[in-house]
PDB file of all heavy atoms in Angstrom:
ATOM      1  N   ARG A 145      89.411 102.327  99.582  1.00  0.00           N
ATOM      2  CA  ARG A 145      89.676 101.542  98.350  1.00  0.00           C
ATOM      3  C   ARG A 145      88.779 102.033  97.217  1.00  0.00           C
ATOM      4  O   ARG A 145      89.221 102.198  96.086  1.00  0.00           O
ATOM      5  CB  ARG A 145      89.421 100.048  98.611  1.00  0.00           C
ATOM      6  CG  ARG A 145      90.591  99.358  99.276  1.00  0.00           C
ATOM      7  CD  ARG A 145      90.414  97.851  99.293  1.00  0.00           C
ATOM      8  NE  ARG A 145      89.221  97.428  99.987  1.00  0.00           N
ATOM      9  CZ  ARG A 145      89.156  97.198 101.303  1.00  0.00           C
ATOM     10  NH1 ARG A 145      90.215  97.385 102.046  1.00  0.00           N
ATOM     11  NH2 ARG A 145      88.034  96.804 101.869  1.00  0.00           N
ATOM     12  N   ALA A 146      87.503 102.283  97.510  1.00  0.00           N
ATOM     13  CA  ALA A 146      86.589 102.777  96.475  1.00  0.00           C
ATOM     14  C   ALA A 146      87.020 104.150  95.970  1.00  0.00           C
ATOM     15  O   ALA A 146      87.006 104.401  94.755  1.00  0.00           O
ATOM     16  CB  ALA A 146      85.144 102.848  97.032  1.00  0.00           C
ATOM     17  N   TYR A 147      87.456 105.003  96.874  1.00  0.00           N
ATOM     18  CA  TYR A 147      87.930 106.341  96.490  1.00  0.00           C
ATOM     19  C   TYR A 147      89.150 106.218  95.603  1.00  0.00           C
ATOM     20  O   TYR A 147      89.272 106.883  94.582  1.00  0.00           O
ATOM     21  CB  TYR A 147      88.242 107.160  97.743  1.00  0.00           C
ATOM     22  CG  TYR A 147      88.694 108.559  97.433  1.00  0.00           C
ATOM     23  CD1 TYR A 147      87.760 109.551  97.206  1.00  0.00           C
ATOM     24  CD2 TYR A 147      90.067 108.900  97.372  1.00  0.00           C
ATOM     25  CE1 TYR A 147      88.162 110.862  96.917  1.00  0.00           C
ATOM     26  CE2 TYR A 147      90.459 110.176  97.096  1.00  0.00           C
ATOM     27  CZ  TYR A 147      89.519 111.166  96.878  1.00  0.00           C
ATOM     28  OH  TYR A 147      89.918 112.424  96.589  1.00  0.00           O
ATOM     29  N   ARG A 148      90.056 105.349  95.985  1.00  0.00           N
ATOM     30  CA  ARG A 148      91.316 105.174  95.251  1.00  0.00           C
ATOM     31  C   ARG A 148      91.038 104.661  93.822  1.00  0.00           C
ATOM     32  O   ARG A 148      91.721 105.044  92.887  1.00  0.00           O
ATOM     33  CB  ARG A 148      92.257 104.236  95.989  1.00  0.00           C
ATOM     34  CG  ARG A 148      93.603 104.174  95.379  1.00  0.00           C
ATOM     35  CD  ARG A 148      94.556 103.393  96.234  1.00  0.00           C
ATOM     36  NE  ARG A 148      95.915 103.642  95.789  1.00  0.00           N
ATOM     37  CZ  ARG A 148      96.971 103.090  96.319  1.00  0.00           C
ATOM     38  NH1 ARG A 148      96.862 102.243  97.295  1.00  0.00           N
ATOM     39  NH2 ARG A 148      98.168 103.380  95.876  1.00  0.00           N
ATOM     40  N   GLU A 149      90.068 103.762  93.683  1.00  0.00           N
ATOM     41  CA  GLU A 149      89.755 103.216  92.365  1.00  0.00           C
ATOM     42  C   GLU A 149      89.241 104.313  91.431  1.00  0.00           C
ATOM     43  O   GLU A 149      89.420 104.245  90.236  1.00  0.00           O
ATOM     44  CB  GLU A 149      88.716 102.109  92.499  1.00  0.00           C
ATOM     45  CG  GLU A 149      89.290 100.845  93.101  1.00  0.00           C
ATOM     46  CD  GLU A 149      88.229  99.801  93.423  1.00  0.00           C
ATOM     47  OE1 GLU A 149      87.022 100.047  93.091  1.00  0.00           O
ATOM     48  OE2 GLU A 149      88.585  98.761  93.967  1.00  0.00           O
ATOM     49  N   GLN A 150      88.573 105.329  91.979  1.00  0.00           N
ATOM     50  CA  GLN A 150      88.018 106.420  91.158  1.00  0.00           C
ATOM     51  C   GLN A 150      88.948 107.607  91.029  1.00  0.00           C
ATOM     52  O   GLN A 150      88.681 108.505  90.254  1.00  0.00           O
ATOM     53  CB  GLN A 150      86.689 106.874  91.777  1.00  0.00           C
ATOM     54  CG  GLN A 150      85.655 105.765  91.776  1.00  0.00           C
ATOM     55  CD  GLN A 150      84.415 106.192  92.537  1.00  0.00           C
ATOM     56  OE1 GLN A 150      84.315 107.306  93.043  1.00  0.00           O
ATOM     57  NE2 GLN A 150      83.455 105.289  92.650  1.00  0.00           N
ATOM     58  N   ASP A 151      90.020 107.618  91.781  1.00  0.00           N
ATOM     59  CA  ASP A 151      90.942 108.757  91.793  1.00  0.00           C
ATOM     60  C   ASP A 151      91.833 108.730  90.567  1.00  0.00           C
ATOM     61  O   ASP A 151      92.505 107.716  90.311  1.00  0.00           O
ATOM     62  CB  ASP A 151      91.797 108.690  93.073  1.00  0.00           C
ATOM     63  CG  ASP A 151      92.607 109.931  93.312  1.00  0.00           C
ATOM     64  OD1 ASP A 151      92.654 110.818  92.430  1.00  0.00           O
ATOM     65  OD2 ASP A 151      93.207 110.037  94.383  1.00  0.00           O
ATOM     66  N   PRO A 152      91.901 109.823  89.796  1.00  0.00           N
ATOM     67  CA  PRO A 152      92.776 109.840  88.616  1.00  0.00           C
ATOM     68  C   PRO A 152      94.263 109.787  88.976  1.00  0.00           C
ATOM     69  O   PRO A 152      95.097 109.430  88.156  1.00  0.00           O
ATOM     70  CB  PRO A 152      92.424 111.157  87.927  1.00  0.00           C
ATOM     71  CG  PRO A 152      91.787 112.005  88.992  1.00  0.00           C
ATOM     72  CD  PRO A 152      91.175 111.067  89.981  1.00  0.00           C
ATOM     73  N   ASN A 153      94.629 110.184  90.186  1.00  0.00           N
ATOM     74  CA  ASN A 153      96.031 110.117  90.634  1.00  0.00           C
ATOM     75  C   ASN A 153      96.082 109.443  92.002  1.00  0.00           C
ATOM     76  O   ASN A 153      96.309 110.111  93.016  1.00  0.00           O
ATOM     77  CB  ASN A 153      96.627 111.535  90.688  1.00  0.00           C
ATOM     78  CG  ASN A 153      98.125 111.497  90.934  1.00  0.00           C
ATOM     79  OD1 ASN A 153      98.751 110.461  90.994  1.00  0.00           O
ATOM     80  ND2 ASN A 153      98.695 112.680  91.118  1.00  0.00           N
ATOM     81  N   PRO A 154      95.907 108.109  92.043  1.00  0.00           N
ATOM     82  CA  PRO A 154      95.789 107.422  93.317  1.00  0.00           C
ATOM     83  C   PRO A 154      97.054 107.359  94.149  1.00  0.00           C
ATOM     84  O   PRO A 154      97.016 106.958  95.289  1.00  0.00           O
ATOM     85  CB  PRO A 154      95.342 106.004  92.920  1.00  0.00           C
ATOM     86  CG  PRO A 154      95.835 105.831  91.541  1.00  0.00           C
ATOM     87  CD  PRO A 154      95.798 107.216  90.913  1.00  0.00           C
ATOM     88  N   SER A 155      98.169 107.748  93.591  1.00  0.00           N
ATOM     89  CA  SER A 155      99.410 107.702  94.358  1.00  0.00           C
ATOM     90  C   SER A 155      99.594 108.986  95.218  1.00  0.00           C
ATOM     91  O   SER A 155     100.535 109.061  95.982  1.00  0.00           O
ATOM     92  CB  SER A 155     100.609 107.521  93.454  1.00  0.00           C
ATOM     93  OG  SER A 155     100.763 108.646  92.600  1.00  0.00           O
ATOM     94  N   GLN A 156      98.712 109.956  95.072  1.00  0.00           N
ATOM     95  CA  GLN A 156      98.820 111.187  95.841  1.00  0.00           C
ATOM     96  C   GLN A 156      97.578 111.397  96.666  1.00  0.00           C
ATOM     97  O   GLN A 156      96.459 111.426  96.152  1.00  0.00           O
ATOM     98  CB  GLN A 156      99.005 112.379  94.906  1.00  0.00           C
ATOM     99  CG  GLN A 156     100.322 112.371  94.165  1.00  0.00           C
ATOM    100  CD  GLN A 156     101.493 112.452  95.121  1.00  0.00           C
ATOM    101  OE1 GLN A 156     101.533 113.254  96.041  1.00  0.00           O
ATOM    102  NE2 GLN A 156     102.484 111.590  94.897  1.00  0.00           N
TER     103      GLN A 156
END
Side-chain angles (χ1 to χ4, degrees):
R145 279 190 300 274
Y147 182 83
R148 189 173 194 181
E149 288 172 3
Q150 297 172 2
D151 190 352
N153 189 4
S155 65
Q156 294 297 314

